[in-house]
Amino acid sequence: MGGEEGLVTAAADAEERAFEAGLRPRTLAEFVGQRKAREQLSIMMAGARGRGHPPDHVLFSGPPGLGKTSLAMIIAQEMAVPLRLTSGPAIERAGDLVAVLTALAPGEVLFIDEIHRIARPAEELLYSAMEDFRVDVVLGKGPGATAIPLDVAPFTLVGATTRAGLLTGPLRDRFGFTAHLDFYDTDELTAVLTRSARLLGLELRPEGAVEVAGRSRGTPRIANRLLRRVRDYAEVRADGIITLEVARAALRVYDVDPLGLDRLDRAVLTALVKRFGGGPVGLTTLAVAVGEEPDTVEDVAEPFLLRAGLLARTARGRVATPAAFTHLGYDPPADPLGRSQTLPTPLFEPGFEAGTA
């Protein structure tokens, strides 16, 4: 991940996914968080093993970095079957899907990441494969076209999506089990970090783990990424032990504040508060003020700011909430939506550690 903003984004590149492979849990017992989903999956897989059949098709939805791929791998591991991984964007034609399906071994788990992005012709072919374990391959065109049915070995499809609303109804209805993965709380992320530190051979003190967990936006992927950066700092500028003081110092260097906000997040809030008196202000104007594209502000910064209660969307534009004023060290306006058009009075000189009290 390049740049400071990459530290607290939930997306991962190929290099980070390779690193994550060594930290992924292998069984449901090792998987931290998502208690309800784990319990339901355990019951479903136990029933499937008892019947000697593959489990029902499974759909995981939720923001990136919460463990959808890990759970797909765990299903294959606990069912003692192979796992084949692909993604929706990689399946551009129906023929691509036929090649994957006909190569499956009996009982194999097929994982399709970002399944909402699968091509429509391939999606329609997937319906019969999921229900009847059969696909119809059409040869030729026009009146002379011939449909040849091909049998597919019984398999379990595990789909993952970050945009469940983009799934078509017919595809969603063909999954026997669906689960939405929620963000993690600090205790769960602390457990994730403690396990990761053990696997990496790090000495992570409990208070250091809590500090990193609290800045991880409720996402295990971000927690593990921050742990790697704190490890670097501890090895270079400390004695290698990650204490509370070391964790705070490291995350200050990497510009991740106590709420998990990075440079872009704080730039958006600062522009709203200082330049526009809390708003409301349009997205394009706000993006120009922080020197970013509107899509970057909307897709990268806003989701977490909204979830953290620091920013609100109104019909008239973006508005900083009283919590945003307080976090930046300013006296919140009397208007609960922060629509004051006068420059706010600072409670103290705003700095990086604003909002730590």
Side-chain angles (χ1 to χ4, degrees):
M1 284 283 170
E4 293 164 349
E5 288 82 3
L7 284 177
V8 288
T9 59
D13 56 22
E15 179 182 355
E16 184 166 26
R17 289 186 183 277
F19 175 82
E20 287 179 347
L23 300 179
R24 290 189 189 278
R26 303 288 186 245
T27 65
L28 279 178
E30 294 179 359
F31 191 94
V32 177
Q34 313 300 339
R35 183 186 60 82
K36 181 61 69 175
R38 284 190 291 118
E39 180 182 10
Q40 294 170 347
L41 275 174
S42 177
I43 295 172
M44 182 190 70
M45 289 191 292
R49 282 193 294 267
R51 294 187 297 271
H53 293 154
D56 287 341
H57 303 300
V58 177
L59 176 66
F60 294 123
S61 64
L66 300 185
K68 296 185 289 294
T69 302
S70 293
L71 286 173
M73 293 179 173
I74 287 172
I75 291 174
Q77 177 76 18
E78 298 213 348
M79 296 303 297
V81 296
L83 173 69
R84 189 178 301 262
L85 295 91
T86 186
S87 66
I91 303 175
E92 299 177 346
R93 298 176 297 274
D96 298 333
L97 182 62
V98 170
V100 172
L101 292 174
T102 54
L104 294 175
E108 189 167 352
V109 173
L110 172 62
F111 175 63
I112 302 181
D113 196 12
E114 296 299 313
I115 194 171
H116 64 272
R117 296 177 61 186
I118 192 171
R120 182 55 59 88
E123 177 184 320
E124 294 173 351
L125 191 72
L126 194 56
Y127 298 161
S128 59
M130 294 174 69
E131 287 188 330
D132 306 319
F133 301 113
R134 175 182 60 84
V135 292
D136 294 324
V137 179
V138 178
L139 300 180
K141 296 181 179 180
T146 303
I148 300 178
L150 295 178
D151 290 333
V152 176
F155 70 100
T156 296
L157 173 64
V158 179
T161 177
T162 56
R163 305 285 298 275
L166 298 182
L167 285 175
T168 63
L171 179 59
R172 188 186 303 110
D173 293 343
R174 283 170 169 79
F175 287 97
F177 175 87
T178 61
H180 179 81
L181 304 192
D182 296 316
F183 288 102
Y184 288 54
D185 60 30
T186 300
D187 290 341
E188 291 170 335
L189 286 176
T190 300
V192 169
L193 289 166
T194 301
R195 176 181 179 273
S196 297
R198 184 175 67 251
L199 294 175
L200 294 172
L202 304 179
E203 186 170 349
L204 175 64
R205 298 286 172 81
E207 62 275 13
V210 172
E211 184 68 18
V212 176
R215 305 191 189 204
S216 299
R217 300 185 180 221
T219 306
R221 174 175 291 155
I222 296 175
N224 283 325
R225 187 185 299 144
L226 293 180
L227 178 63
R228 293 166 63 191
R229 300 287 71 81
V230 173
R231 172 192 62 181
D232 294 341
Y233 182 93
E235 292 175 349
V236 173
R237 296 191 178 179
D239 57 3
I241 300 174
I242 302 175
T243 62
L244 173 62
E245 292 73 19
V246 168
R248 284 180 174 174
L251 294 171
R252 186 180 299 114
V253 167
Y254 288 108
D255 213 14
V256 179
D257 81 4
L259 287 185
L261 274 59
D262 63 8
R263 181 204 63 82
L264 176 60
D265 299 323
R266 289 193 302 277
V268 170
L269 291 184
T270 301
L272 266 174
V273 168
K274 293 185 66 176
R275 298 189 185 185
F276 303 107
V281 61
L283 174 63
T284 302
T285 302
L286 183 59
V288 171
V290 299
E292 297 285 353
E293 294 294 325
D295 288 347
T296 301
V297 173
E298 186 173 29
D299 298 336
V300 177
E302 280 194 354
F304 181 70
L305 295 177
L306 287 165
R307 182 163 62 88
L310 300 172
L311 180 144
R313 289 175 176 171
T314 71
R316 297 174 58 195
R318 273 60 176 175
V319 172
T321 66
F325 283 79
T326 301
H327 183 68
L328 293 177
Y330 290 100
D331 189 12
D335 188 324
L337 288 180
R339 287 198 290 260
S340 170
Q341 295 303 311
T342 59
L343 187 65
T345 302
L347 294 173
F348 52 82
E349 183 63 26
F352 179 73
E353 292 298 334
T356 59

